[in-house]
Amino acid sequence: MILVTGATGHVGSELVRRLTAAGEPVRAMTRRPSKARFPAVTEAVYGDAADPESLAAAFAGVDGVFLMSAQAVGTAPEPTHDLALAAAAERAGVRRVVKLSTLDGGTGDDPIAHWQRTAEAAVTDPARGFTWTLLRPGRFMSNALQWAGQLRAGDEVAIPFADRPAASIDPADLAEIAAQALTTGEHSGAVHELSGPQSLTPTEELALLGEILGRDLRVRSVPVEAARAGMSSYGFPPEVVDAIMRRTLDGDRGSEVLPTAEKVLGRPARTFAQWARAHAGEFPRP
């Protein structure tokens, strides 16, 4: 049995579909199993990393698990959700763990780096006895779905840091790599830094999306201080906001096209245009 945590997320939902299509027994963990839509053969279960007592049933009888957490950096002194998930996996005797991390996985000395190092160490600690794989992607192509609400109102989209390039990756490619790691002996002990095949700015991505949707889409830039204020309004502590701003504005973090995905997949990683065509129905039409 393979457990997918974050099963309604962009990567988790793709992974559930891929594993079930391959005939693997899959348990999908979500906080709202009655509202989730999974393939019919999927076992949907309730589980919440903020409610550690709920995890025992979700992890029972599981051999492999895909671990991810959406807990925001700085909302606790440490990544309590990652720690709870790893502890539940250990108690259940899970053997194989694939952890969805982030690009650089804790490089540096800011609060984000400390958080990610702690989260990864919860999986890689030899005392836990896991056969582990770390996936470290940068920006997701599916982040563009955040524009859908604005596109219902018109052709202009407010985008912070609209001219900062990133080699974003299709979550379906991440799911394919995760499925390989969970169902084969490959990638044990591997740390995969992953990107898509092109370095594009959000402005360029929006233009490509507009071509596919048949709309003349335009960017409305968000001033840096407005972007900072927006992050603060979501409850990020000031030191985390400062770290996000430095990481976003300094250097070329996330913009490098890395060869890992193509090498692991055995084919070119999907482009943003390919992702956008596959998901065009999720955006409003003119």
Side-chain angles (χ1 to χ4, degrees), residues 11 31 42 54 72 76 80 101 127 199 202 205 209 222 233 260 270 282:
V11 179
R31 289 176 294 173
T42 306
S54 73
T80 54
S101 186
S199 184
E205 290 180 344
L209 179 62
V222 175
S233 71
T260 313
R270 295 178 183 89
E282 298 174 54

Side-chain angles (χ1 to χ4, degrees), residues 185-227:
E186 301 175 14
H187 314 299
S188 297
V191 179
H192 290 320
E193 300 268 348
L194 298 158
S195 81
Q198 301 167 292
S199 184
L200 300 172
T201 66
T203 298
E204 292 168 329
E205 290 180 344
L206 186 68
L208 286 169
L209 179 62
E211 291 176 13
I212 290 163
L213 298 179
R215 298 176 63 174
D216 182 18
L217 303 181
R218 302 178 301 279
V219 170
R220 183 172 78 254
S221 295
V222 175
V224 169
E225 286 310 310

